[in-house]
Amino acid sequence: MIKGIGESLTQLRQSQTVTSHYVAPLTVSPRGDAKARPIPKHRLETYGRWAKVTQEQHNISASQVVLKSLLSAKELLSLLHRQLQSCLFNKTATPTEAIEQAEQYRQELLQIQPTYQGKILLDHHFNLVSVSQPATTHQFRFRRVDLTASKNRDEHITLYGVKKILHLYLPANQNRLALQQVIEPVLAQLEISIDHSISHETVFSVTSERWLALNKGILMVGEGQRLPAGEPRNIHLEEIFSWQDPREWRFTDIDMLKVTLAKIAKVAKKIALQIEAIQASHRLLLAKAKQLNTVSLPKEDLQYLHKFMQPTPFAYQMISLLAQSNANREQVSALLV
């Protein structure tokens, strides 16, 4: 037995020596034409499972971040609702201190902007953002400039983007819809679209990422009708707020307080439903994890493993070694000596 082990070690050293002498020249070969070995299938499957587990972990971490933000928003909405109710029950006048406190709650709500790995998790309407549910767009109009207003003369307008200059030709005596069709393909180069669901005025919309780049304004120059001629001027964008946006809520008088309270109640209900959905998904993941960690072994296996849990399992290990090597007690004693 000892001789066999010695021969095996000798062969192993020889094979390592031969392999090292054979492989070494290939590593310094200037030709570099050695073909890369394909990755084994089982290893690719392992990488795939690891990537899936990692992605699931990121999803769980993101849901925990957004859940904390939603709970904070829920608490602030509750405080704001109670604060405005106290103002509403005072029939004589709206207390100044209570309104100032309500305004503070609103500012804290606006600061809730959870992100994970640089990605937005909640939009400005407190909607969950995902691959299937992108963030709500920002709507705006150009301040003191109506590009779709009908004029008696043609006008050429130049827009200055970050890396491009756009030229817009607006014909005379055209209605709003016709001018929208003219300007929409041009503004699309700036990733600006027109909300056609609003008929009484022209409202533009952009994504949240694009809004961060455009909200300070766009340089434009015209010919004196819709836009002044001469040097380019920065045309500011006036954002249009939805009722779900805290910036749209008004605390000015009793009637506006009633309307604002109704909006707060609707937003709070939506947030509560989102919190319930996230917590339900967390409970489901926890149940799956517990199920995977629970090992159900048969009774025979537990009895077999019980002897190896004893304080002196060395005897059982020696019995197993003897059985595997077909050696008797005298041969083992000779090895130990």
Side-chain angles (χ1 to χ4, degrees), residues 89-104:
F89 290 147
N90 294 331
K91 302 298 182 179
T92 56
T94 304
T96 303
E97 294 182 359
I99 293 299
E100 291 178 353
Q101 184 64 47
E103 184 63 33
Q104 181 179 347

Side-chain angles (χ1 to χ4, degrees), residues 77 80-81 84 106 109 125-126 241-251 255-271:
L77 286 172
L80 179 58
H81 193 274
L84 295 181
R106 171 164 51 186
L109 278 171
H125 291 173
F126 296 104
F241 304 123
S242 168
W243 64 268
Q244 304 177 68
D245 195 324
R247 292 173 294 180
E248 194 269 345
W249 301 342
R250 297 291 177 265
F251 310 146
D255 294 333
M256 294 304 300
L257 286 180
K258 293 180 180 179
V259 176
T260 300
L261 281 172
K263 296 175 182 178
I264 293 174
K266 290 181 180 181
V267 174
K269 184 178 180 180
K270 178 179 68 174
I271 290 178

Side-chain angles (χ1 to χ4, degrees), residues 53 55-65 116 282 285:
V53 170
Q55 184 60 44
E56 288 296 330
Q57 182 61 46
H58 285 308
N59 293 338
I60 294 173
S61 300
S63 66
Q64 291 173 341
V65 172
Y116 183 77
H282 286 182
L285 290 173

Side-chain angles (χ1 to χ4, degrees), residues 215-239:
N215 62 356
K216 294 182 180 180
I218 301 176
L219 290 175
M220 297 185 189
V221 60
E223 295 180 344
Q225 296 189 92
R226 300 174 182 84
L227 283 164
E231 295 295 327
R233 298 193 180 185
N234 187 34
I235 306 302
H236 294 280
L237 310 183
E238 182 180 352
E239 188 174 4

Side-chain angles (χ1 to χ4, degrees), residues 129-144:
V129 178
S130 62
V131 177
S132 59
Q133 183 65 37
T136 306
T137 58
H138 290 257
Q139 294 184 329
F140 68 92
R141 63 173 69 91
F142 293 107
R143 186 178 300 176
R144 295 189 295 274

